[in-house]
Amino acid sequence: MMMNRRTFSTALLAGAAASLVSSRGGAAAPPPVRARNVVLVHGLFADGSCWSEVIPRLQAAGLNVTSVQNPLTTLPEAVASAQRVLDRQDGPTVLVGHSFSGMIVTEAGVHPNVSALVYVAARAPDADEDYTALAKTYPTPPASAGIVFDGDEGRLSEAAFLRDFAGDIPEAKAKVLYAVQQPFHKQLLAGKTSHAAWRSKPSYYAVSTEDRTINPDLERFMAKRMGATTIEVKASHLALISQPEPIARLILAAAGRSE
């Protein structure tokens, strides 16, 4: 059955602890392309295993799933790592990014294999936009104060990680995630996207309402600006771990698998 954004909102709300709204004012939208592949990209303070709660849900729906290991060095190198994975896909592919990797999705999403984009509490800049300047127009989230540097490598302190990054995850599990966080290079934060794939590809956005790493109102602004089909999840920045069911449902919708 074809579902416009309004009926999809009702279906998703019935199936998960999330609300869905359309940033296009409820207008009917064409059904999404039925994708066979999903490529997931992680952000700062994490590695590819952060998608471990979402991946089996997508695989159970018959999707081929790949989680990119983002090098966290420079934006061009991070984009290239995603593009290499996209090159290997054999058909329509949903490209999904969490947190910083929204930059990667925005740039690499113009790849011809990409049929839709999904942003999970993620950056979603316009082409050539200074994301840092945009973020400064909203109150600074608490996690920013917890970033520490060892030379050119940055990471979150344990206190900030547990409180501001993974605040709704049991402490024992959050400490495991803290132990595997990968440091990022300062140069990574200086990159700007030269493309805005969301201007030409169907886009979906999951706002984390309890986010202390990216301001939730900034997330709402970016989702509305791109006209994304949007859900709001009562979760920390790590909704993909604490609330994997609504995140997986959103990705399945982007893949044309919500029926």
Side-chain angles (χ1 to χ4, degrees), residues 80-99:
S81 70
Q83 289 173 329
R84 286 192 293 271
V85 174
L86 291 170
D87 288 342
R88 298 200 300 265
Q89 307 309 304
D90 59 355
T93 301
V94 177
L95 180 59
V96 186
H98 172 243
S99 191

Side-chain angles (χ1 to χ4, degrees), residues 96-110:
V96 186
H98 172 243
S99 191
F100 176 86
S101 71
M103 302 277 291
I104 300 169
V105 167
T106 299
E107 183 75 9
V110 296

Side-chain angles (χ1 to χ4, degrees), residues 51 54 120 206 231 233 239-240 243-252:
W51 293 102
V54 172
V120 180
I231 64 171
V233 185
L240 67 171
Q243 296 285 344
E245 188 63 30
I247 301 304
R249 285 178 178 271
L250 186 65
I251 296 170
L252 289 171

